[in-house]
């Protein structure tokens, strides 16, 4: 059966779980950050380092706090609360200047060395996860935005730095698996016997709802979830172990809205998952040969293969788990 034909939705049966961990957060309000339609201001460099805001606040038009004693209370991160000692300035980005897909480190409080003043428009790091080990605070850079600053900033955390998000500079090359767009990762479940799928909506480790997904045709299986058409909505990746055909089902939450055939996988190999290995913002295929224990990456542009590279061999007695 061709997996691209429209299928009737079936009731969910929760047996085999494909757990999809969200790597790039959406906003708590359900909006996807997009550039403004007005001319984007040119931010003025502030020297070494960058201010930071939480990923769930990084929506164009939102008023945000990028510096202050209560930074950890006023910013919201999909990866959990930031340490209270972080006041909003990352003094050691990697690379420097910071870039989407990078990381950063900083020191607690105003020992991080924030600038004496800020210009009207600044480029700000967006972080989804911030942790602390000893005196070192670390975070990720899945996104960067421009903030138009308000008056009143001082390098003392008691004088907050605030402003309004006016544009998105870049978004990191990481897929997300938030089906209902509430800023939290969800579970995608697959029943290998009935080929039914289901989405479980999650709040941390607690299931807060669910919805039936489309049924997968016979001889096909759901092997991964990734945003192939880059519409900020996770899609299904299918593999036919008999014909070695692949397909992408474009999804809107739990509803299939389209599909496309992908490249066939060579004999002896299986398609085991998808991830953005070359960090270009497009998910790639991960292949595994169970006989030789070889791995391979196929670089993709939506459903089209544009390149490839050999991966490391897996030791005997081990198998490759989907990314």
């Amino acid at each position: 059966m061709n997996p691209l034909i429209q299928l009737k939705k079936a009731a969910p049966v929760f047996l085999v779980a494909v757990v999809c961990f969200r790597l790039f957060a959406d906003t708590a309000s359900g909006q996807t950050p997009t550039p403004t339609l007005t001319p984007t201001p040119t931010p003025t460099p502030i020297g070494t380092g960058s201010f930071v805001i939480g990923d769930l606040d990084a929506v164009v038009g939102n008023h945000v706090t990028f510096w202050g004693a209560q930074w950890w209370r006023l910013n919201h991160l999909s990866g959990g609360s930031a340490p209270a000692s972080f006041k909003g300035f990352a003094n050691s980005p990697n690379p420097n200047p910071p870039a989407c897909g990078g990381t950063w480190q900083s020191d607690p409080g105003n020992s991080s060395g924030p600038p004496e003043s800020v210009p009207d428009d600044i480029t700000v790091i967006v972080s989804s996860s911030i942790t602390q080990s000893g005196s070192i605070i670390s975070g990720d850079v899945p996104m960067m935005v421009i903030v138009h600053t308000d008056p009143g900033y001082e390098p003392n955390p008691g004088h907050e730095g605030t402003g309004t998000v006016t544009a998105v500079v870049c978004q990191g090359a990481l897929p997300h698996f938030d089906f209902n767009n509430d800023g939290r990762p969800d579970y995608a479940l697959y029943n290998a016997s009935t080929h039914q799928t289901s989405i479980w909506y999650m709040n941390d480790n607690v299931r807060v709802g669910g919805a039936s997904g489309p049924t997968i045709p016979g001889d096909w299986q759901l092997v991964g979830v990734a945003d192939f058409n880059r519409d900020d909505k996770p899609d299904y990746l299918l593999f036919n172990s008999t014909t070695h055909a692949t397909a992408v089902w474009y999804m809107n939450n739990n509803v299939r809205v389209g599909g496309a055939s992908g490249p066939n996988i060579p004999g002896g190999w299986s398609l085991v998952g998808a991830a953005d290995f070359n960090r270009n913002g497009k998910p790639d295929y991960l292949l595994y040969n169970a006989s030789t224990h070889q791995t391979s990456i196929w670089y993709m542009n939506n459903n089209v293969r544009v390149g490839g590279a050999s991966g490391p061999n897996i030791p005997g007695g081990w198998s490759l788990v989907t990314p």
Side-chain angles (χ1 to χ4, degrees):
M1 181 183 294
N2 189 331
L4 302 181
I5 64 172
Q6 184 65 37
L7 296 172
K8 203 164 95 176
K9 192 192 305 180
V13 177
F14 312 120
L15 294 179
V16 180
V18 180
V19 183
C20 304
F21 295 95
R22 183 172 177 269
L23 300 177
F24 177 33
D26 287 316
T27 66
S29 62
Q31 296 174 296
T32 300
T34 55
T36 65
L37 297 179
T38 56
T40 301
T42 301
T44 303
I46 60 173
T48 300
S50 176
F51 289 102
V52 181
I53 63 173
D55 63 320
L56 299 184
D57 303 298
V59 180
V60 171
N62 267 12
H63 193 257
V64 295
T65 299
F66 57 84
W67 170 255
Q70 298 298 310
W71 190 100
W72 68 284
R73 290 183 183 274
L74 299 173
N75 283 269
H76 308 89
L77 287 69
S78 59
S81 297
S85 60
F86 182 62
K87 306 307 178 186
F89 188 71
N91 58 15
S92 299
N94 181 23
N96 188 14
C100 284
T103 59
W104 57 265
Q105 291 186 340
S106 195
D107 301 306
N110 55 359
S111 62
S112 58
E116 291 296 320
S117 62
V118 294
D120 290 341
D121 297 282
I122 58 175
T123 300
V124 172
I125 288 172
V126 175
S127 286
S128 64
S129 176
I130 299 177
T131 58
Q132 183 169 1
S133 177
S135 62
I136 302 299
I137 300 172
S138 304
D140 60 352
V141 189
M143 182 179 175
M144 296 181 68
V145 298
I146 295 175
V147 171
H148 183 72
T149 60
D150 300 327
Y153 165 84
E154 292 185 19
N156 181 331
H159 295 268
E160 290 182 346
T162 61
T164 301
V165 179
T166 59
V168 174
V169 176
C170 62
Q171 295 179 349
L174 297 173
H176 71 86
F177 306 112
D178 174 18
F179 282 89
N180 60 344
N181 206 21
D182 66 349
R184 302 181 179 96
D186 304 308
Y187 282 7
L189 278 64
Y190 172 60
N191 186 316
S193 298
T194 66
H195 294 268
Q196 293 170 296
T197 68
S198 182
I199 308 300
W200 280 10
Y201 305 125
M202 304 295 292
N203 182 359
D204 196 357
N205 63 315
V206 179
R207 180 189 173 198
V208 295
S212 300
T215 299
I216 308 299
D219 294 332
W220 292 78
Q221 56 186 334
L222 178 63
V223 296
V225 175
D227 181 17
F228 283 90
N229 59 348
R230 304 183 72 184
D231 64 352
D232 293 319
K233 299 171 184 176
D235 306 310
Y236 281 9
L237 176 61
L238 278 60
F239 174 60
N240 188 316
S241 57
T242 301
T243 65
H244 289 266
T246 70
V248 177
W249 280 7
Y250 304 125
M251 303 291 292
N252 182 2
N253 196 342
N254 63 309
V255 179
R256 180 190 169 196
V257 295
S261 298
N264 280 23
I265 306 300
W269 292 78
S270 296
L271 179 62
V272 297
D276 181 15
F277 287 95
N278 59 348
R279 301 173 70 87
N280 68 347
K282 302 171 184 177
D284 308 306
Y285 280 12
L286 175 60
L287 279 62
Y288 175 59
N289 189 314
S291 298
T292 64
H293 295 270
Q294 293 173 291
T295 67
S296 182
I297 296 166
W298 282 10
Y299 302 125
M300 304 292 293
N301 181 3
N302 197 340
N303 63 311
V304 178
R305 180 188 175 191
V306 295
S310 298
N313 281 22
I314 307 299
W318 295 76
S319 59
L320 182 62
V321 178
T322 180

